[in-house]
């Protein structure tokens, strides 16, 4: 997983730098010195988020992690209310509840297998808090660096982070795995291209929308993943997952319509 992270972040970093240079040329670097410390901090927090998720997965379950990661919505809404005075309507809470229920249905969340007693689950919650804090840094602390260049700095810091981990702890094991499955490189190229699109649209959305609303819309990711998996891998959704996709759709449409200016 460290090698995958390294290659994916490296390719994404290259793609984002290329985009920034093509779009803005050398002028993309003009405000770098003024915001560089904050940009590096954003990258370091992203490394902490990744570490928290991986530490949690080592001693807990993926389902528990997926659920606890969604607590970033709570942190984001609280920080938005406390820091920038965000106000929430009754309709916001209503459609948020529908969307959240749909996301949990798509993930096939089973309450009986959910255990919060495991102290390692706190890593998931800490990483969710990190996601929320990072979003506010990106929106309110970055004034001079363009989104593409900021995303490049973020992914470059993560590339260095993964490189250090892999070469210090997992070098032989990681390189051996790549030798057995060389075709994974092409999958990484494709996923990195999508990551470039993700970073650019995410940062652009943070500029135009409230932070909490951007994080809410990211709850749709499990539903989109399920829809994409079907034609690629023949993964058929269960009935409860199909219901979840419907709920996610209703939640997103509702929030979009009631929040339309």
């Amino acid at each position: 997983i460290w090698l995958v992270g390294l290659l994916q972040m490296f390719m994404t970093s290259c793609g984002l730098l290329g985009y920034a240079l093509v779009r803005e040329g050398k002028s993309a670097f003009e405000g770098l010195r003024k915001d560089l410390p904050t940009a590096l901090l954003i990258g370091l927090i992203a490394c902490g988020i990744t570490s928290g998720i991986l530490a949690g997965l080592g001693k807990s379950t993926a389902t528990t992690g997926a659920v606890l990661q969604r607590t970033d919505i709570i942190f984001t809404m609280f920080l938005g209310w406390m820091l920038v005075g965000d106000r929430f309507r009754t309709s916001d809470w209503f459609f948020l509840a529908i969307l959240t229920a749909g996301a949990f249905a798509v993930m096939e969340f089973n309450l009986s297998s959910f255990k919060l007693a495991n102290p390692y689950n706190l890593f998931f919650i800490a990483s969710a808090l990190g996601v929320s804090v990072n979003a506010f840094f990106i929106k309110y602390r970055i004034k001079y660096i363009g989104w593409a260049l900021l995303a490049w700095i973020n992914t470059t810091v993560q590339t260095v982070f993964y490189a250090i981990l892999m070469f210090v702890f997992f070098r032989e094991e990681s390189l051996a795995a790549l030798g057995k499955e060389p075709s994974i490189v092409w999958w990484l190229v494709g996923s990195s291209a999508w990551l470039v699109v993700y970073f650019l649209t995410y940062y652009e959305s943070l500029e135009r929308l409230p932070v909490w609303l951007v994080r809410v819309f990211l709850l749709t990711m499990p539903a989109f993943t399920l829809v994409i998996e079907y034609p690629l891998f023949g993964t058929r959704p269960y009935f409860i997952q199909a219901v979840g996709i419907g709920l996610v759709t209703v939640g997103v449409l509702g929030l979009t319509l009631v929040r339309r200016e």
Side-chain angles (χ1 to χ4, degrees), residues 36-256:
L36 184 58
T38 303
L40 292 174
L41 178 61
I42 289 169
L44 291 172
I45 293 174
C47 294
I49 293 167
T50 301
S51 299
I53 294 171
L54 293 174
L57 288 174
K59 297 291 185 177
S60 188
T61 65
T63 299
T64 300
V67 172
L68 291 179
Q69 278 293 107
R70 302 285 71 81
T71 59
D72 75 293
I73 301 300
I74 300 171
F75 291 127
T76 301
M77 296 180 81
F78 176 75
L79 289 173
W81 168 74
M82 185 175 67
L83 298 177
V84 297
D86 281 340
R87 294 293 181 266
F88 310 108
R89 311 167 187 170
T90 302
S91 57
D92 292 333
W93 292 107
F94 175 71
F95 287 113
L96 172 61
I98 291 177
L99 202 161
T100 304
F104 285 175
V106 170
M107 292 186 295
E108 296 184 282
F109 171 55
N110 182 0
L111 187 61
S112 64
S113 64
F114 183 75
K115 297 179 180 179
L116 195 56
N118 186 344
Y120 285 92
N121 288 332
L122 294 175
F123 283 109
F124 294 128
I125 297 176
S127 66
L129 176 60
V131 168
S132 302
V133 171
N134 236 9
F136 279 94
F137 269 119
I138 292 167
K139 184 174 180 69
Y140 295 107
R141 298 289 297 177
I142 297 296
K143 298 180 178 65
Y144 304 102
I145 300 177
W147 298 123
L149 197 64
L150 174 60
W152 169 68
I153 295 171
N154 187 336
T155 52
T156 299
V157 171
Q158 291 189 69
T159 299
V160 174
F161 169 72
Y162 278 116
I164 292 172
L165 285 175
M166 195 195 79
F167 284 104
V168 172
F169 299 108
F170 306 101
R171 181 173 55 185
E172 295 181 3
E173 159 187 341
S174 300
L175 294 177
L178 181 61
K180 293 178 181 178
E181 294 289 342
S183 62
I184 195 174
V185 173
W186 296 109
W187 286 100
L188 287 171
V189 170
S191 64
S192 298
W194 279 111
L195 267 180
V196 170
V197 175
Y198 164 78
F199 272 103
L200 292 175
T201 54
Y202 176 58
Y203 285 16
E204 185 74 19
S205 297
L206 285 175
E207 182 180 29
R208 299 175 183 274
L209 298 170
V211 177
W212 74 268
L213 192 57
V214 176
R215 297 307 308 171
V216 165
F217 282 151
L218 288 178
L219 284 172
T220 61
M221 291 175 68
F224 279 118
T225 300
L226 194 63
V227 171
I228 293 171
E229 274 186 337
Y230 176 63
L232 288 179
F233 305 108
T235 304
R236 292 181 176 273
Y238 297 110
F239 173 75
I240 189 64
Q241 291 178 315
V243 171
I245 292 174
L247 291 174
V248 166
T249 303
V250 170
V252 168
L253 288 176
L255 282 169
T256 302

